[in-house]
Amino acid sequence: MTEPNQNNPQWETDTDTFQATETLMRSQSPIDETTTQETVEEIISAYPKKVAKKRSKHIVVRDPAQPEQEINANVRTTPGIITQRGCSFAGCKGVVVGPFGDVVHIVHGPVGCSYYSWMTRRNQFKTREDGENFIHYCFTTDMNEHDLVFGGMNKLRKAIQEAYDLFHPRAITVHATCPVGLIGDDIQGVAREMAEKLNTNISAFNCEGYKGVSQSAGHHIANNEFFKKWIGQDTETESIEGYTVNILGEYNIGGDAWEIERVLNKCGIQVIATFSGDGSYDEATKAHLAQANLVMCHRSINYMANMMETKYGTPWLKVNFIGIHAFAKSLRKLARFFDDPELTQRIEEVIEEELAIAETQIAEYRQRLEGKTVFLFVGGSRAHHYQDLFADLGMKTIVAGYEFAHRDDYEGRQALPKIKVDADSRNIEELEVKPDPENYQPPKSEEELEKLRQEKVVGEYTGMMPDMGEGTLLVDNISHHELDTLIKRFQPDLIGSGIKDKYIIEKFGIPSKQLHNYDYGGPYAGFWGAVNFAKDVDSRVNSPTWQYVKAPWQQAS
Amino acid sequence: MLEATPTEVQEREALRINPAKTCQPIGAMYAALGLHNCLPHSHGSQGCCSYHRSHLTRHYKEPIMAATSSFTEGTAVFGGGANLRQALTTIFKLYNPDVVAINTTCLSETIGDDLPSLIRAAQDDGIIPEDKLVIHANTPSYVGTHVTGWSNMAKAIVDYLVQKSDTPQQQINLIPGYVEPADTRHLKRFLKEFGVESVVFPDTSDVVDTPQTGDFRMYPKGGTPVEDLKTAGDSLATVALGPMASEAAAKSLQNKCDVPYRALDLPIGVAACDRFVQTLMELTGTQPPESLVDDRGRLVDIMTDMQQYLYGLRVAVSGDPDQVVPLTEFLVSCGARPVYVITGTPSKYFRKRCEEILSNTVPEAIYKDDTDLFYLHQLIKNNPVDLLVTNVYGKYIARAEDIPLVRFGWPILDRVGHSYFPTVGYRGSMHLLCTILNTLLERKDRDDPDEVFELVM
């Protein structure tokens, strides 16, 4: 049974292939109900009692008849369970801040944190004409025992000075790691002091690894600091002509942001700043001048989208550039937003041209992939976004989950009022934001914006759940045990996950596609990206190598 | 590439750039994987554990299993005892390892969690099943490097698991150092050929280089069995290969069980291999078999056959002390000139051995411990080299300066083979030397103009 799509606003596309994609995404799971129930029971019953009780709330069998299904998310990890999760430092420096390639990012801590976040996420960066490029560098205060005992503030001061003397960067960021908070180093104070001394933008991020329960806390901390110290720093530029947007929560993994920008530019839409893929400091300081924020990864950047709306009146639109029909739908949403017949026509022309090429090129792969089943376990947004792209290939997502998303990413933003911030996340600062007396300039009248809100064009994310059909499974913060059981019981054709799982999955003889680093391929976003993706998925699923896993004398006759 | 790196070298006191090392716990995690049926456990916040598993996975293209105490802010204030108890309960119920090997992070070290007491309490309260073992190593990230972490876990294995009985064993203990599974496998074969009985630990062969069978095994067949360690206290002697990684454990074994030890450079290159063989001869009174002597001869044969390509070659080397020291000696023995030799690990051993190897042979050589790749790059910018031998991170310098690169040591994240083909022993050294030579010849083929492009080299 497919969930009835009662409210299909105008800007949604209604072509046949789009309908086919959506129908497949929302169709019933091919795994029968009994098997699904038994599997969930098998998973839960293996846990110690208390753990079983907790984990059962993180696993939901999708039931479209219950419009307000709930899932537990964004709570602490059970010690010892073997989680995929990382920490707040990874969410802040590794994800949101690090991709700014013309900025020197200094990690204040022992050597590990800077080292492991050095070139391991593939947020690509291109040097601007007059710009600098630090993306291949790793900077740290490399704290030792002496710094732990006597404090590391002096060393941090010196490190900032040395970085400044060596590179004269546009901006410097400082990132705290676990011990920094414990020994009481005041990195905010040092940043303020050195910013004044060097007359340079120096921002400090208190993203100690133990804060919150996952990478998510780090996103929030990064958003706050960017909002306070970077946005609106360009006071020279007063306005920018044309249709302008920022892309928020797009990290240019494998060149995704470049493909998105190519298509937007073709439509006649200019990207002012991207947070943070291929991000440059100067562009970021102009972000407040854009007419709209396009939110790609809701989890990591919705804080800034909301704060910018309050302070500058910039509305935000949730978009998905993964999957050709999803991209088309997002472009139409933008056309509806700008509401200019000429722009709308150009967008329609671009969609027609790009869709035709992509569909033709995908067709060959689709033939070989249609009907296959997929699990998706990815950070905080891709487990939803990629369901569209897999559906473009005729593949059905039967189990999906996030490492660290919150209930609103699963259930939609209507769940927000119901979410209680628990003790583990209470200490993440919530900024109080007010309209800026000079720069509050909404691009549209309040009536128009209200209408767009009603149509769910702006300010809305409906979450992953409504896109998943009856009997599919949602698993939040999956453990190794859960992954193991689900593989054995459901035998999917492909699992989209990360590096820690990849070879576990493949040792079971099941192909795995990394959806954090794309197995060093990409881009996967946009129209050209979808074709890359189709080719790569085909190569994983249909590779002749899998036939040799069992020796001929081991195979049943 | 790396265009911001200035040629002029400024003294840096505080800013580390492009480190040639990482932190302790990952080394401890790797060493713990060398115990059979062991689950490494990271006592700290979960980010460390994820980073360490990911990094080892990228290096081996293999599953790397480990659990974590998943500290939160509350834990950071009140201590990690409750988290550890929960973790052990969950681990034994769910994943059923025979041994849990705990390492710590800068978080649990800074708050001062007392692991021995926590483990004892867990034992007393029945959280640890009677037939199961929990061992630990303190691995503060702000002391030493990943090599120190390996060393601390190897020592913990001795302290917790090695025993002495009244039955002397005609065997030696071999601590292979922070090396690849192929190296340990090769060393075991080497001893077998020699006719020497041994206990080798930690042993990651058949753990991080497992076959594809269609069946995932959480605890693969490899790893030193705890049973074997029970006799290590009765061995004739311990051979510790790679003093930075292995000597602490060997020393501890000597103190605990009166087993004498010999610390040697890793057997990379002809001279270091010879010393290893001579040590085995002395300790066991056995002569090396003809097969090994022949292998030695083949290695020297390549050295003499191809010496023209290496003689006088300016080489830059970086990596972990245990690897870099014998590599430097090997290069010198081939007639090459290792002019820059660096490591990120603070190491007296490194300084002393580099001086012994280089002061008479390559007097212009600059060798430095506790430094970084930014410094190495600056040295190269000032006076270029013909060859770079480093771990994966050297690839940026190699590209920036257009220098042929041989990947060697740990980690190698962008190539395959390092975990399958050894670089220790005569045969491993042959493999390493061939890789170096072939890299240089590839470069020559790329660079030579058509009219002098050679068929035979």
Side-chain angles (χ1 to χ4, degrees):
Chain A
M1 194 189 82
T2 309
E3 189 187 14
N5 190 0
Q6 292 155 338
N7 184 8
N8 195 5
Q10 278 178 326
W11 51 268
E12 287 205 0
T13 171
D14 54 2
T15 61
D16 291 348
T17 50
F18 172 80
Q19 282 298 349
T21 304
E22 194 180 78
T23 305
L24 175 61
M25 270 173 79
R26 297 182 181 182
S27 64
Q28 190 175 346
S29 171
I31 308 290
D32 70 85
E33 210 184 303
T34 321
T35 307
T36 305
Q37 287 303 342
E38 280 173 7
T39 306
V40 174
E41 272 158 38
E42 187 184 326
I43 285 172
I44 297 300
S45 63
Y47 283 122
K49 237 187 200 156
K50 276 186 193 164
V51 180
K53 201 174 157 201
K54 277 192 213 160
R55 284 304 302 161
S56 61
K57 293 178 192 154
H58 294 259
I59 303 174
V60 169
V61 182
R62 174 76 181 124
D63 178 6
Q66 290 184 55
E68 305 223 329
Q69 253 185 314
E70 288 184 8
I71 189 165
N72 202 14
N74 189 36
V75 298
R76 67 169 67 168
T77 310
T78 305
I81 200 163
I82 308 192
T83 175
Q84 303 172 326
R85 278 179 172 178
C87 65
S88 164
F89 166 84
C92 178
K93 192 272 177 181
V95 173
V96 182
V97 185
F100 279 93
D102 57 0
V103 173
V104 168
H105 306 293
I106 301 175
V107 178
H108 188 41
V111 67
C113 306
S114 67
Y115 173 91
Y116 301 113
S117 56
W118 178 20
M119 294 309 294
T120 45
R121 275 175 64 82
R122 301 179 56 238
N123 33 249
Q124 300 177 344
F125 177 83
K126 209 180 277 172
T127 317
R128 307 301 193 269
E129 258 175 41
D130 61 341
E132 282 169 306
N133 186 346
F134 303 111
I135 203 83
H136 302 115
Y137 291 87
C138 167
F139 305 98
T140 174
T141 54
D142 190 8
M143 288 172 95
N144 57 30
E145 207 159 12
H146 181 273
D147 304 320
L148 265 290
V149 176
F150 298 99
M153 282 164 65
N154 259 331
K155 195 173 198 183
L156 178 59
R157 265 185 210 106
K158 266 189 211 156
I160 293 171
Q161 183 71 50
E162 287 172 4
Y164 180 82
D165 293 342
L166 274 167
F167 308 113
H168 294 95
R170 285 170 156 70
I172 295 173
T173 68
V174 175
H175 300 263
T177 61
C178 285
V180 169
L182 298 177
I183 64 171
D185 272 2
D186 176 15
I187 64 165
Q188 298 291 346
V190 172
R192 258 195 315 274
E193 174 197 322
M194 294 304 285
E196 215 162 284
K197 181 179 172 198
L198 304 172
N199 194 24
T200 297
N201 190 329
I202 303 177
S203 35
F205 299 78
N206 276 101
C207 54
E208 288 87 346
Y210 54 76
K211 290 203 168 156
V213 297
S214 68
Q215 291 93 312
S216 180
H219 301 150
H220 197 162
I221 291 160
N223 276 235
N224 287 349
E225 216 53 39
F226 270 157
F227 187 73
K228 282 193 280 193
K229 298 271 179 60
W230 282 33
I231 306 289
Q233 283 302 302
D234 182 331
T235 49
E236 305 272 299
T237 320
E238 280 177 359
S239 65
I240 299 169
E241 290 292 296
Y243 297 108
T244 55
V245 296
N246 300 313
I247 307 178
L248 301 189
E250 165 51 56
Y251 301 101
N252 200 31
I253 305 295
D256 277 352
W258 292 322
E259 162 65 1
I260 294 165
E261 203 166 342
R262 176 187 73 82
V263 178
L264 290 178
N265 288 346
K266 197 169 165 182
C267 295
I269 296 162
Q270 189 193 342
V271 179
I272 305 298
T274 301
F275 280 84
S276 315
D278 192 35
S280 109
Y281 174 73
D282 290 348
E283 290 159 15
T285 59
K286 293 183 183 57
H288 61 296
L289 298 168
Q291 288 158 298
N293 281 323
L294 309 186
V295 173
M296 182 65 203
C297 169
H298 177 261
R299 182 66 269 132
S300 65
I301 211 87
N302 76 91
Y303 314 96
M304 194 138 85
N306 284 314
M307 291 189 287
M308 283 181 71
E309 186 167 24
T310 310
K311 185 167 177 182
Y312 301 107
T314 322
W316 64 268
L317 295 81
K318 177 72 187 80
V319 289
N320 179 15
F321 298 127
I322 304 291
I324 56 176
H325 294 97
F327 201 160
K329 186 171 154 182
S330 293
L331 287 173
R332 291 193 168 117
K333 207 174 183 182
L334 257 176
R336 171 67 192 93
F337 174 79
F338 284 118
D339 200 18
D340 167 353
E342 225 172 278
L343 179 72
T344 303
Q345 198 194 331
R346 195 156 49 204
I347 287 176
E348 286 302 330
E349 284 164 10
V350 170
I351 290 175
E352 196 182 349
E353 190 187 332
E354 296 278 341
L355 263 186
I357 298 169
E359 268 175 352
T360 318
Q361 296 198 16
I362 282 175
E364 179 200 339
Y365 304 110
R366 190 184 162 102
Q367 268 181 355
R368 288 201 285 270
L369 296 168
E370 198 145 32
K372 302 217 182 268
T373 54
V374 178
F375 292 178
L376 288 177
F377 306 109
V378 209
S381 80
R382 290 190 177 110
H384 181 201
H385 292 150
Y386 273 79
Q387 295 190 28
D388 282 279
L389 182 47
F390 277 114
D392 285 339
L393 306 179
M395 298 171 79
K396 165 81 183 161
T397 306
I398 57 172
V399 184
Y402 299 121
E403 271 172 58
F404 51 73
H406 302 193
R407 279 180 59 190
D408 43 324
D409 305 290
Y410 285 105
E411 301 170 32
R413 286 180 68 90
Q414 75 277 1
L416 282 172
K418 294 185 279 186
I419 299 176
K420 284 194 199 94
V421 180
D422 72 6
D424 293 323
S425 298
R426 204 170 291 144
N427 288 344
I428 315 296
E429 189 187 13
E430 286 285 348
L431 298 186
E432 205 172 307
V433 184
K434 290 188 184 120
D436 186 292
E438 280 168 35
N439 294 311
Y440 184 81
Q441 288 167 335
K444 305 213 163 246
S445 71
E446 191 37 53
E447 292 94 63
E448 283 172 302
L449 282 172
E450 188 47 43
K451 191 150 183 284
L452 289 169
R453 254 174 241 133
Q454 293 298 325
E455 289 178 32
K456 296 185 176 173
V457 173
V458 300
E460 182 58 281
Y461 178 46
T462 50
M464 171 157 88
M465 234 178 226
D467 278 335
M468 294 195 68
E470 186 180 346
T472 59
L473 276 183
L474 293 100
V475 184
D476 174 66
N477 188 15
I478 193 167
S479 69
H480 170 74
H481 156 68
E482 290 160 14
L483 177 71
D484 186 299
T485 313
L486 285 165
I487 289 173
K488 285 177 186 151
R489 296 294 300 247
F490 289 5
Q491 291 287 315
D493 296 300
L494 180 78
I495 300 180
S497 189
I499 185 72
K500 295 191 292 296
D501 295 348
K502 180 183 176 75
Y503 302 104
I504 296 171
I505 295 161
E506 298 204 332
K507 280 282 172 0
F508 279 107
I510 290 175
S512 172
K513 180 82 207 121
Q514 293 187 69
L515 289 181
H516 294 272
N517 73 19
Y518 302 169
D519 294 300
Y520 323 104
Y524 288 160
F527 298 101
W528 294 357
V531 179
N532 283 336
F533 186 72
K535 200 189 289 179
D536 289 358
V537 169
D538 177 44
S539 97
R540 285 227 89 73
V541 174
N542 293 316
S543 164
T545 54
W546 299 111
Q547 298 162 23
Y548 298 91
V549 168
K550 292 288 175 209
W553 57 90
Q554 292 172 317
Q555 280 160 6
S557 52
Chain B
M1 185 62 62
L2 302 183
E3 272 152 11
T5 306
T7 306
E8 191 199 336
V9 180
Q10 284 115 322
E11 194 60 37
R12 277 176 285 128
E13 273 180 67
L15 188 65
R16 174 75 70 211
I17 314 175
N18 301 349
K21 62 171 179 182
T22 182
C23 64
Q24 281 210 42
I26 194 169
M29 185 183 280
Y30 181 58
L33 289 167
L35 282 179
H36 185 60
N37 278 354
C38 172
L39 185 68
H41 182 84
S42 169
H43 187 57
S45 53
Q46 67 207 3
C48 312
C49 185
S50 264
Y51 274 143
H52 300 148
R53 289 180 65 201
S54 298
H55 206 71
L56 289 168
T57 298
R58 288 177 179 122
H59 178 79
Y60 290 111
K61 320 289 180 213
E62 283 287 314
I64 301 292
M65 305 309 293
T68 163
S69 295
S70 291
F71 278 32
T72 58
E73 194 155 11
T75 327
V77 178
F78 300 112
N83 288 55
L84 186 67
R85 293 165 75 87
Q86 268 187 14
L88 291 172
T89 306
T90 308
I91 286 169
F92 284 118
K93 173 91 171 39
L94 209 52
Y95 297 122
N96 196 31
D98 289 342
V99 189
V100 172
I102 305 170
N103 64 68
T104 58
T105 70
C106 45
L107 179 51
S108 51
E109 286 295 327
T110 307
I111 66 177
D113 270 354
D114 177 6
L115 265 298
S117 304
L118 293 175
I119 294 170
R120 216 174 304 123
Q123 233 144 18
D124 294 347
D125 298 344
I127 289 172
I128 303 168
E130 270 181 23
D131 53 341
K132 305 288 182 181
L133 294 161
V134 176
I135 70 172
H136 95 284
N138 290 97
T139 50
S141 315
Y142 45 80
V143 176
T145 68
H146 56 290
V147 182
T148 324
W150 195 98
S151 166
N152 284 337
M153 185 53 82
K155 183 176 175 297
I157 290 171
V158 168
D159 294 345
Y160 274 94
L161 303 176
V162 167
Q163 293 173 12
K164 187 181 176 67
S165 71
D166 294 328
T167 329
Q169 301 282 338
Q170 289 300 309
Q171 64 184 18
I172 62 147
N173 304 319
L174 182 77
I175 307 175
Y178 197 147
V179 293
E180 296 294 337
D183 294 326
T184 310
R185 178 174 287 115
H186 184 64
L187 289 168
K188 288 195 289 185
R189 200 172 291 173
F190 197 97
L191 293 175
K192 214 171 182 184
E193 255 176 285
F194 225 111
V196 177
E197 294 290 319
S198 63
V199 180
V200 180
F201 71 92
D203 175 7
T204 57
S205 64
D206 290 320
V207 180
V208 295
D209 59 353
T210 62
Q212 167 64 283
T213 60
D215 302 304
F216 168 74
R217 280 183 68 173
M218 184 155 174
Y219 308 108
K221 70 179 175 193
T224 312
V226 170
E227 281 306 303
D228 290 9
L229 290 165
K230 286 185 180 157
T231 68
D234 305 318
S235 299
L236 293 169
T238 303
V239 177
L241 297 178
M244 290 298 291
S246 301
E247 190 166 2
K251 198 179 273 176
S252 187
L253 215 164
Q254 177 174 284
N255 293 341
K256 186 175 174 182
C257 306
D258 288 324
V259 179
Y261 80 89
R262 299 280 285 275
L264 301 174
D265 296 331
L266 277 177
I268 295 167
V270 65
C273 288
D274 288 348
R275 292 195 295 272
F276 179 45
V277 168
Q278 282 169 309
T279 304
L280 292 176
M281 289 164 71
E282 282 168 32
L283 292 174
T284 64
T286 318
Q287 287 296 310
E290 192 180 353
S291 59
L292 279 182
V293 180
D294 287 348
D295 277 340
R296 182 186 189 280
R298 284 185 199 99
L299 171 61
V300 179
D301 195 47
I302 302 173
M303 289 165 65
T304 53
D305 286 348
M306 305 300 275
Q307 54 79 28
Q308 58 178 322
Y309 297 105
L310 290 166
Y311 191 81
L313 204 77
R314 288 171 57 81
V315 190
V317 178
S318 118
D320 298 335
D322 286 343
Q323 270 78 11
V324 167
V325 164
L327 172 69
T328 303
E329 185 185 40
F330 190 20
L331 287 165
V332 169
S333 69
C334 293
R337 305 185 78 75
V339 286
Y340 308 132
V341 182
I342 69 134
T343 182
T345 298
S347 167
K348 217 188 278 173
Y349 159 73
F350 175 86
R351 291 194 301 270
K352 180 172 162 271
R353 291 288 292 127
C354 281
E355 195 191 344
E356 285 167 6
I357 295 164
L358 293 166
S359 59
N360 292 324
T361 54
V362 192
E364 76 273 29
I366 295 173
Y367 54 88
K368 199 169 181 208
D369 65 332
D370 197 10
T371 186
D372 55 35
L373 291 167
F374 187 78
Y375 172 67
L376 178 65
H377 188 190
Q378 289 185 312
L379 292 176
I380 292 172
K381 273 175 164 266
N382 280 290
N383 196 353
V385 293
D386 306 306
L387 176 72
L388 195 56
V389 187
T390 65
N391 63 21
V392 64
Y393 295 97
K395 77 187 279 185
Y396 296 95
I397 300 174
R399 184 179 164 102
E401 306 303 328
D402 195 23
I403 308 166
L405 170 69
V406 170
R407 290 166 178 79
F408 169 76
W410 185 94
I412 296 169
L413 311 175
D414 64 338
R415 292 294 186 270
V416 68
H418 48 84
S419 55
Y420 301 114
F421 304 103
T423 58
V424 300
Y426 298 115
R427 256 175 276 174
S429 303
M430 283 165 66
H431 176 65
L432 176 61
L433 182 57
C434 291
T435 309
I436 291 174
L437 284 162
N438 290 338
T439 304
L440 292 166
L441 296 175
E442 282 292 341
R443 172 56 62 112
K444 195 168 149 50
D445 275 350
R446 194 199 83 176
D447 291 347
D448 279 349
D450 285 0
E451 59 275 22
V452 297
F453 186 67
E454 297 289 347
L455 176 72
V456 185
M457 293 166 105

